[in-house]
């Protein structure tokens, strides 16, 4: 008898087919947690769960008594309450590595777009302002030969640094839980305390996971330490930043601009204060969102799921 899998995100057809070959599969484009819904009913028997972004905590796990593995289609797993999942002997997996280059392209692209004010100037052209323009209205800041300060130099961070160092001749400083001598040598990256990095960097780029230690790690104090010309880039998770402090820093000119892919509340609600700030460039959490990479992530997560349900150690098992 095949194990029972519950898929709660829309998967590419070939990946869903692979899951169906190995598992008795109930599949939904999105979870519907209302009592009595087909998703809720399927959850009662599910041994494997596959999808992106669902909060898996104690209350959720109480509704899924047969669960053996939760396979996340993302590298970040702050939606999974790992101590609670492990306490019940359930495995959890993520999709590291396969998205590093794609996310680095997005985050470095966001950095350049913010420094050179590209979205704002696109609006300027479309609104017919070009013909009566003064040049200085269009001035941005240079990226090349500046200092990039990266907080969280892991898989994605390294690929951002590679682009900055070899594509844009930038100097690299970094702050991490531990030092990485290999990357220091490879990219000339220099380790800094968090405060040193904030004071020195022209671009502050946040790429840590969201954990109890990183929640709200950049707030009013940290923005005040940054240069007035600093550009802040967040590609991690919205809650690593105190969003109110960020809005105030952008509004008051404490920093020059911000490029954001992630927010405390996603999608951003209508009338959110960030929407009215021209010095904020806003992307809708699309770091890994290319066809190729999303397909690769779905395959990685599906293979993790099937391995776990076949009694093997999944390739990307999250260590509690
Ligand atoms: N915007 C997007 O679409 C998108 C896409 C992928 C990942 N992400 C986010 O990026 C995060 C990082 O992904 P990754 O694959 O590079 O992970 P990773 O584990 O390879 O790297 C994370 C790095 O952060 C460091 N770190 C952890 N806690 C820290 C702390 N308190 N202070 C300083 N450094 C700390 C770790 O030591 C590690 O080097 C994910 O967890 C996710 O939240 C966002
Ligand atoms: O963590 C990730 O993989 C991305 O943010 C997609 O959710």
């Amino acid at each position: 008898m095949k194990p029972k899998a519950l898929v709660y995100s829309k998967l590419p057809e070939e990946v869903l087919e692979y899951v169906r070959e190995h598992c008795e599969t109930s599949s939904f484009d999105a979870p519907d947690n209302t009592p009595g819904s087909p998703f809720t009913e399927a959850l009662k028997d599910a041994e494997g769960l596959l999808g992106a972004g669902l909060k898996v905590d104690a209350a959720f796990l109480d509704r899924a008594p047969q669960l053996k593995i939760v396979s996340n289609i993302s590298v970040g797993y702050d939606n999974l309450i790992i101590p609670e999942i492990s306490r019940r002997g359930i495995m959890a997996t993520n999709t590291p590595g396969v998205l590093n280059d794609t996310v680095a392209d997005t985050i470095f692209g966001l950095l350049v777009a913010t420094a050179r004010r590209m979205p704002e100037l696109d609006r300027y052209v479309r609104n017919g302002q070009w013909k009566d323009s003064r040049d200085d209205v269009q001035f941005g800041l240079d990226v090349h030969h500046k200092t990039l300060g990266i907080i969280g130099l892991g898989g994605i961070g390294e690929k951002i640094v590679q682009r900055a160092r070899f594509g844009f001749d930038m100097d690299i400083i970094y702050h991490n839980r531990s030092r990485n001598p290999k990357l220091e040598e490879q990219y000339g990256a220099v380790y800094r305390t968090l405060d040193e990095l904030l004071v020195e960097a022209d671009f502050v780029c946040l790429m840590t996971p969201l954990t109890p230690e990183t929640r709200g790690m950049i707030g009013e104090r940290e923005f005040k330490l940054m240069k007035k010309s600093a550009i802040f880039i967040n590609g991690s998770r919205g809650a690593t930043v105190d969003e109110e402090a960020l809005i105030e820093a952008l509004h008051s000119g404490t920093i020059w601009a911000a490029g954001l892919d992630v927010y405390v509340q996603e999608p951003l609600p209508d009338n959110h204060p960030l929407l009215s700030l021209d010095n904020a460039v806003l992307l809708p959490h699309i770091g890994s969102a290319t066809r190729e990479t999303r397909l690769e992530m779905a395959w990685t997560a599906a293979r993790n799921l099937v391995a776990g349900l076949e009694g093997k150690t999944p390739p990307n098992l999250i260590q509690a």
Side-chain angles (χ1 to χ4, degrees), residues 179-191:
R179 288 182 64 156
N180 188 327
K182 188 178 136 265
L183 298 189
E184 289 184 14
E185 190 179 337
Q186 207 166 340
Y187 302 106
V190 181
Y191 187 83

Side-chain angles (χ1 to χ4, degrees), residues 55-58 61 70 77-92 210-213 318-320:
K55 179 117 187 149
V56 179
D57 57 9
L61 291 167
V70 181
Y77 53 85
D78 44 284
N79 60 313
L80 308 180
I81 309 304
I82 295 296
E84 194 55 44
I85 293 173
S86 322
R87 194 177 67 74
R88 299 177 192 226
I90 299 168
M91 293 177 277
L210 176 61
T211 65
E213 293 77 43
I318 296 166
Q319 303 297 338

Side-chain angles (χ1 to χ4, degrees), residues 144-175:
H144 63 88
H145 296 97
K146 294 278 186 72
T147 298
L148 172 67
I150 186 144
I151 306 167
L153 184 52
I156 297 168
E158 178 183 349
K159 294 295 184 174
I160 294 173
V161 161
Q162 186 186 60
R163 283 149 179 74
R165 182 78 201 107
F166 300 130
F168 288 76
D169 289 315
M170 296 178 86
D171 292 324
I172 311 295
I173 56 178
Y174 77 104
H175 178 72

Side-chain angles (χ1 to χ4, degrees), residues 106-115 119 203-207 223 230-236 241 246 250 255-263 274 278-283:
T106 307
I107 300 306
F108 204 82
L110 177 61
L111 183 154
V112 174
T114 308
F203 295 86
V204 174
C205 179
L206 191 51
M207 261 343 293
F223 286 118
I231 293 180
F232 174 68
I233 304 293
N234 191 6
S236 63
V241 179
L246 170 63
L250 289 169
I255 62 168
W256 197 71
L260 309 171
D261 188 38
V262 288
Y263 310 88
L274 281 171
D278 267 342
N279 57 347
V281 175
L282 311 176
L283 295 180

Side-chain angles (χ1 to χ4, degrees), residues 75-76 103 152-156 176-177 207 209 214 235-237 261 285 287:
V75 64
V103 179
L153 184 52
I156 297 168
N176 212 41
R177 274 182 312 192
M207 261 343 293
T214 63
S236 63
R237 286 289 183 265
D261 188 38
H285 198 152

